Amino acid sequence: MIKQIKYFQAVVRHKSFTEAAEECFISQSAISQQIQALEQELGVKLLNRQNRKFSLTPAGEHFYRKSLMLIADFERMCSETVRIANKELMELRVGYLKCYGGQEFRLAVAEFSEKYPDVSVQIINGNHEDLYAVLRDGGVDLILNDQRRAFSDEYVNHILMTSECYIEIAARNPIAALEYVETEDLKNIPCILVASPEQQETERIYYREIVGIQGDFLFAENLEEARLLVAGGKGFMPVEGGKHEPDAAAFGRVLLKRRGNPIRRAYCVFWKADNSGYYIEDFADMLESKFPADGKA
């Protein structure tokens, strides 16, 4: 019946038995017979035939719309089945935000690899725009990223955590003893960001215009390098979630506010809506489970 449905879709799409037959590489009489067989199988009339013309019946219109979704789901199912069968091709490509310092991502990768030892996990990291670009171009299956734009229907947009923003600063700096600090109070201290040379200007604009940090900026290639700069007293680094210090002897974490209001930041997992495979959704579920249940408040 799948072939018959595809023949029916071709006829409706082209509004012609002749053009549909050419597309499907069968004769016009054969495609007509197949659609008649489909109608007999369903027990309903899909097309009103008038000499060389035809129109859809109400049942035919309903069947056509629903069949488009059915065939799309069927083809995705077949593709996923083939990928699972060919273990050498089984892989999950994941991207995560370069400046993200939480352990949730690492824990999810470990759990996934334990559950699916035959699946190759390919991991890249990058800045906000790097990750969106590689996801858009099909270079990864899903990404852990921060939200800086409105959600798009082209993607599954799943919020993992919305947290208050802190700064990480050397423990010996007097600011480390404060309960919170205003962005205005940091204008004379360099802000340290993790960014590639190509993304430095984009990150500078975002933190200056959106977050409200008005001082100078220093850039590091990775999180470890950035934390070494912080430990060396070279500046402060914006970080996600929580008062917990990664190393209390070297760092302090202080809540960041702007005009008296805490700055909040959303972290999400994104993947293309038309690429919702089993491994993708399972990894997303594992990743979500690593975040606190109240983190979306």
Side-chain angles (χ1 to χ4, degrees):
M1 183 180 282
I2 293 295
K3 278 191 176 181
Q4 292 172 343
I5 293 174
K6 289 183 177 180
Y7 292 153
F8 172 69
Q9 289 178 348
V11 168
V12 176
R13 185 169 60 253
H14 289 288
K15 299 179 180 179
S16 166
F17 279 84
T18 302
E19 293 181 18
E22 291 177 356
E23 177 185 288
C24 298
F25 302 104
I26 63 173
S27 67
Q28 182 177 336
S29 61
I31 200 170
S32 179
Q33 291 170 4
Q34 288 295 316
I35 291 176
Q36 288 176 0
L38 176 61
E39 290 176 319
Q40 292 173 2
E41 178 75 15
L42 294 172
V44 299
K45 194 175 183 180
L46 300 175
L47 300 176
N48 286 318
R49 296 167 177 81
Q50 301 169 338
N51 298 323
R52 293 181 177 275
K53 297 181 180 180
F54 70 88
S55 61
L56 286 167
T57 66
E61 290 180 358
H62 173 79
F63 186 81
Y64 177 69
R65 290 196 303 271
K66 294 295 184 180
S67 72
L68 293 176
M69 294 181 285
L70 172 68
I71 295 301
D73 288 341
F74 175 78
E75 290 179 346
R76 279 196 294 269
M77 179 186 69
C78 291
S79 176
E80 187 68 15
T81 300
V82 170
R83 189 168 70 173
I84 291 174
N86 296 305
K87 290 186 177 181
E88 68 277 9
L89 300 179
M90 292 167 60
E91 67 174 6
L92 180 69
R93 302 166 302 162
V94 186
Y96 73 98
L97 197 62
K98 184 182 290 187
C99 62
Y100 184 78
Q103 64 176 351
E104 295 84 3
F105 183 80
R106 295 191 298 273
L107 293 174
V109 171
E111 181 180 345
F112 183 88
S113 297
E114 182 177 2
K115 183 175 181 179
Y116 302 107
D118 294 327
V119 178
S120 173
V121 181
Q122 306 296 326
I123 300 173
I124 68 166
N125 61 27
N127 297 109
H128 175 88
E129 294 301 326
D130 294 332
L131 293 175
Y132 267 116
V134 73
L135 178 64
R136 182 182 63 246
D137 295 340
V140 292
D141 295 309
L142 78 165
I143 57 173
L144 167 63
N145 206 352
D146 57 348
Q147 183 192 359
R148 298 188 187 180
R149 61 182 74 184
F151 288 147
S152 167
D153 290 339
E154 294 182 19
Y155 300 90
V156 176
N157 314 282
H158 197 65
I159 297 176
L160 298 171
M161 174 182 69
T162 301
S163 68
E164 293 174 335
C165 190
Y166 285 69
I167 66 164
E168 201 164 273
I169 196 164
R172 64 181 180 278
N173 191 302
I175 290 177
L178 297 176
E179 181 179 350
Y180 69 86
V181 63
E182 291 275 349
T183 55
E184 174 68 19
D185 298 331
L186 298 170
K187 63 184 179 181
N188 296 320
I189 305 174
C191 176
I192 299 168
L193 301 175
V194 179
S196 63
E198 296 78 15
Q199 288 297 322
Q200 288 179 7
E201 186 58 26
T202 299
E203 293 296 291
R204 181 185 287 109
I205 292 172
Y206 172 76
Y207 278 93
R208 187 179 297 280
E209 297 184 1
I210 305 301
V211 179
I213 294 172
Q214 299 302 313
D216 294 332
F217 291 87
L218 298 176
F219 294 94
E221 284 289 333
N222 53 62
L223 190 59
E224 183 62 28
E225 180 185 345
R227 282 190 165 142
L228 287 174
L229 290 173
V230 172
K234 303 299 183 183
F236 69 91
M237 178 173 62
V239 294
E240 76 288 338
K243 180 67 176 175
H244 169 72
E245 297 89 355
D247 184 347
F251 304 105
R253 281 193 176 181
V254 182
L255 181 65
L256 182 61
K257 292 187 177 184
R258 187 179 187 186
R259 302 189 186 99
N261 298 311
I263 296 172
R264 298 184 66 83
R265 196 172 187 182
Y267 288 89
C268 310
V269 60
F270 302 92
W271 66 90
K272 285 186 176 180
D274 61 0
N275 186 32
S276 186
Y278 176 74
Y279 293 131
I280 294 175
E281 294 185 355
D282 207 17
F283 182 84
D285 288 342
M286 292 178 186
L287 186 57
E288 181 178 23
S289 72
K290 303 300 180 282
F291 287 85
D294 60 350
K296 297 182 183 180

